[in-house]
Amino acid sequence: MIDDQFVDPAVYHGGALAAARLQFPDAPTPWLDLSTGINPNPYPGTVISPDVLTRLPDAVALTRLLSAAAGAYGAKDAQHIVAAAGTQALIQYLPKLFSARRVAILGFGYQEYPALWRAAGADVIVTDDVKSLTETGIDVAIVVNPNNPDGRVVDPQTLADIATRLGRRGGLLIVDEAFMDVLRPAASLVPILPGRGALVLRSFGKAYGLAGLRLGFAVGGLDLTEKLRTALGPWAVSGPAIEIGATALADTAWLEQSVERLERQAAHLDVMLIDAGFSIVGGTPLFRLARHERASHWFQKLGRFGILTRPFPERRDWLRFGLPGVETDWARLAEALHASP
């Protein structure tokens, strides 16, 4: 596993190439980073107007971005959406804006949620039972949908019912749909979002392969979005992110073609991993979760080949694989998977 002196295993997200280079100093370069679930074939329309870099973000341009997001996600209108510098920025704010004594999180998943809510003083429980999310005393419930890393999906009507029950007593359901863009059929809560009691987070950078742009959204009732908008303040999103995001979100044909390609690549990766002795636990078209009794050995072996995967200190027999991009990356992974121990 990656040495704990370089990475906090409780909130490790993948992508820790600096730590990997220290742990595997003799690995060939450049590194092939398969530890994150980011589209390896990014959206190509990243040319921006020259003045976008020299002036503050424009309110009209931001409205265009929010309208494009509303259309892409099926929101009622742009007023129900808030843009931020990535969903992580929103996740950081939530425990500060919505006080909670008891927080319920569905299943093992994205570890920022329990860490942040516990740091805010909440009693956090992790449960595999959807029904327990509305138990007496639960102030905030959190569902990552599809779940990272196993791809579990909760149907939107079930989530709407949970939000309605929590909303009646002043509670809140947070649904993290970071990987929803690549899921077919889609199971987003946004089109049937209740008027209160629910907040949906959407990531831009993962499906569009532009994680470094830092762009994400929250969708909710007007009271919730206004609270977030006020907390974030003016110019919460950069001019380049506004311009590129608005163009990409309106390009539905590109996303459709990209998802088709990702589905084919994910199926091919499954075959490669099974052939190497792994079993597939789940995932999404952007990443595959695989099980092997010697997962730690495989992490080390692949690391020596300059290939970084995603380990889980809590699940020592799991490894998560993102998708290689170009053909040479696929060939490099295939060689490593079939190399002698």
Side-chain angles (χ1 to χ4, degrees):
M1 309 297 281
I2 287 184
D3 197 310
D4 290 354
Q5 68 176 306
F6 305 122
V7 175
D8 179 358
V11 291
Y12 173 54
H13 308 131
L17 287 178
R21 291 187 186 102
L22 288 171
Q23 187 168 354
F24 304 102
D26 298 324
T29 56
W31 274 81
L32 175 55
D33 186 3
L34 303 183
S35 67
T36 62
I38 298 169
N39 191 338
N41 302 113
Y43 183 74
T46 55
V47 177
I48 60 173
S49 307
D51 60 347
V52 167
L53 292 174
T54 60
R55 57 179 171 80
L56 289 170
D58 181 80
V60 174
L62 178 60
T63 298
R64 176 172 169 254
L65 170 66
L66 296 177
S67 296
Y73 302 147
K76 185 177 180 181
D77 57 52
Q79 290 298 310
H80 289 262
I81 299 185
V82 177
T87 50
Q88 185 60 46
L90 294 163
I91 292 169
Q92 297 286 143
Y93 269 102
L94 295 180
K96 303 171 186 176
L97 296 177
F98 305 102
S99 59
R101 290 171 297 177
R102 198 158 190 241
V103 174
I105 301 174
L106 184 63
F108 175 80
Y110 190 48
Q111 293 301 291
E112 285 285 354
Y113 285 111
L116 288 170
W117 286 93
R118 284 184 178 124
D123 174 25
V124 176
I125 62 169
V126 178
T127 177
D128 291 323
D129 183 5
V130 175
K131 295 180 181 179
S132 66
L133 297 178
T134 56
E135 286 181 353
T136 302
I138 299 297
D139 302 303
V140 171
I142 300 170
V143 177
V144 180
N145 202 46
N147 191 44
N148 175 15
D150 61 8
R152 179 212 63 232
V153 175
V154 180
D155 72 272
Q157 189 55 59
T158 296
L159 294 173
D161 293 343
I162 292 170
T164 299
R165 293 183 63 182
L166 287 172
R168 287 190 188 122
R169 61 179 195 242
L172 177 66
L173 171 66
I174 298 168
V175 182
D176 186 331
E177 295 185 352
F179 292 96
M180 187 61 70
D181 281 331
V182 300
L183 200 67
R184 295 193 304 183
S188 175
L189 176 61
V190 175
I192 60 169
L193 193 71
R196 61 177 180 174
L199 187 71
V200 177
L201 305 182
R202 296 293 294 247
S203 171
F204 172 81
K206 294 179 175 63
Y208 291 86
L210 298 172
L213 197 65
R214 306 312 304 140
L215 178 62
F217 302 90
V219 188
L222 295 180
D223 57 334
L224 298 178
T225 54
E226 183 58 32
K227 197 171 186 178
L228 274 171
R229 195 174 288 113
T230 300
L232 292 169
W235 314 304
V237 181
S238 73
I242 290 173
E243 184 165 314
I244 293 170
T247 301
L249 288 167
D251 194 346
T252 56
W254 180 87
L255 183 62
E256 178 70 18
Q257 294 168 4
S258 184
V259 172
E260 289 178 358
R261 180 175 60 250
L262 291 169
E263 289 172 336
R264 292 193 301 269
Q265 292 175 331
H268 179 53
L269 180 56
D270 282 354
V271 172
M272 291 175 62
L273 294 173
I274 291 170
D275 188 51
F278 288 87
S279 60
I280 305 303
V281 178
T284 74
L286 281 174
F287 61 83
R288 311 306 296 159
L289 180 64
R291 177 184 289 116
H292 197 288
E293 62 181 8
R294 301 185 68 198
S296 180
H297 162 79
W298 274 104
F299 175 81
Q300 297 285 338
K301 176 182 174 180
L302 292 169
R304 290 191 292 271
F305 274 82
I307 300 173
L308 183 60
T309 54
R310 168 68 161 94
F312 295 88
E314 309 87 347
R315 304 285 194 276
R316 295 286 175 172
D317 59 344
W318 282 5
L319 277 184
R320 196 187 70 187
F321 292 76
L323 301 181
V326 297
E327 194 60 38
T328 53
D329 290 341
W330 284 94
R332 186 175 171 186
L333 176 61
E335 179 186 2
L337 288 173
H338 290 95
S340 299

